[in-house]
Amino acid sequence: MLFRQFFEPDTFTYTYLLGCERTRRAFLVDPVASEVEAYIRLLSEANLKLIYTLETHVHADHITGSGLLREKLGSKSVVHRDAGAMCADLLVTDGILLQVGDLEIEVRATPGHTAGCVSYVVGDRVFTGDSLLIGGCGRTDFQQGDAGLLYDSIHHKLFSLPADTLVFPGHDYQGHRVSTIAQEMETNERLGANKSRDEFLTIMKNLKLAYPKYIDQALPANQACGRPTLEVQG
Ligand SMILES: N[C@@H](CCC(=O)N[C@@H](CS)C(=O)NCC(=O)O)C(=O)O
Ligand SMILES: [Fe+2]
């Protein structure tokens, strides 16, 4: 398997490229609009065809590159049915399996940060978006966020994965690049060491985070796959 982690420093966003070496088919997880040319360059250098862009959710802090990549490369965008992005090509639900060459992708619904959050399991790794971050988790104070639901999603859908599963998050604000399920179960400040649901709810209620700087542009743009003006023009 070909694997690459990209970092967009303005919004601390991670994007992932996975490719099948045999068929040269590939997909991206959470592409960022401003980085599309870099993805296209790498795909071309590695002789890979982009099949899907997988969104873990409708992002509040940056604009997705899924619409631009669809226009430039013909890739299909994938998002959960409840995410609120009807511009996507495939609307998926919990348990759906997608195949890209020899790579199998399992969709696990992990709502809580938003109503339409999913994680994608590919072999020994899971792409958790903002559901489970390294040492933390996504906030739950907008986009139908629900801290109780997030606790249940993480416990039932992520902490049930094999302990050595690699955790690749949608963001990291401290420079961490990868974790494991075992590491998060032990050391995650909000969820680790068997923290109770009530303890988690109290932590989430008292976060007092600032309003994301790009949310007013990002949400409407991402509901149109990052291409709002084109959607209006039809
Ligand atoms: N300072 C960032 C914050 C972005 C933000 O709130 N990110 C969301 C994900 S969309 C989050 O859940 N962050 C978790 C945290 O900051 O602990 C901004 O203004 O864009
Ligand atoms: Fe988010």
Side-chain angles (χ1 to χ4, degrees):
M1 180 176 78
L2 297 150
F3 179 72
R4 177 80 173 261
Q5 183 176 36
F6 297 88
F7 182 64
E8 193 287 298
D10 185 34
T11 60
F12 297 85
T13 301
Y14 284 127
T15 299
Y16 303 92
L17 173 70
L18 288 88
C20 167
E21 286 177 83
R22 186 179 65 85
T23 62
R24 313 311 296 178
R25 290 168 163 251
F27 60 93
L28 283 162
V29 180
D30 287 335
V32 179
S34 61
E35 310 303 296
V36 157
E37 290 308 322
Y39 310 142
I40 293 177
R41 206 175 319 119
L42 189 76
L43 286 160
S44 155
E45 280 166 14
N47 186 30
L48 290 169
K49 178 170 171 53
L50 187 68
I51 306 296
Y52 294 129
T53 56
L54 307 181
E55 300 286 349
T56 55
H57 61 299
V58 165
H59 304 280
D61 57 344
H62 67 272
I63 296 181
T64 175
S66 65
L68 260 175
L69 286 160
R70 172 164 65 191
E71 287 159 34
K72 288 174 184 277
L73 302 179
S75 49
K76 305 264 186 239
S77 75
V78 179
V79 73
H80 191 273
R81 186 174 63 181
D82 299 338
M86 302 315 263
C87 53
D89 300 287
L90 270 80
L91 300 174
V92 293
T93 52
D94 186 61
I96 294 280
L97 299 176
L98 298 169
Q99 191 85 24
V100 173
D102 297 334
L103 306 180
E104 188 176 88
I105 304 153
E106 181 197 339
V107 178
R108 289 203 177 199
T110 50
H113 168 58
T114 74
C117 280
V118 297
S119 298
Y120 296 102
V121 180
V122 185
D124 63 354
R125 55 201 70 195
V126 58
F127 300 91
T128 54
D130 298 349
S131 298
L132 181 62
L133 301 176
I134 299 175
C137 63
R139 62 199 290 174
T140 53
D141 54 341
F142 51 69
Q143 288 181 283
Q144 299 94 47
D146 180 326
L149 196 55
L150 182 58
Y151 184 89
D152 296 339
S153 290
I154 291 172
H155 275 264
H156 297 144
K157 294 295 178 54
L158 299 176
F159 285 178
S160 57
L161 287 163
D164 58 356
T165 303
L166 299 170
V167 173
F168 287 102
H171 298 284
D172 192 90
Y173 303 95
Q174 274 108 38
H176 307 296
R177 296 173 68 93
V178 62
S179 179
T180 63
I181 290 296
Q183 184 179 321
E184 294 313 311
M185 288 177 76
E186 283 159 28
T187 64
N188 189 293
E189 278 179 30
R190 299 180 191 167
L191 295 133
N194 292 317
K195 278 225 170 38
S196 72
R197 201 170 188 272
D198 282 346
E199 283 176 279
F200 181 71
L201 294 181
T202 306
I203 291 169
M204 295 309 285
K205 211 165 53 195
N206 295 313
L207 283 183
K208 298 190 177 67
L209 295 171
Y211 196 64
K213 59 183 172 179
Y214 298 128
I215 188 170
D216 294 329
Q217 300 101 287
L219 279 185
N222 290 333
Q223 283 157 356
C225 292
R227 307 292 280 152
T229 38
L230 293 185
E231 290 285 315
V232 171
Q233 287 163 3

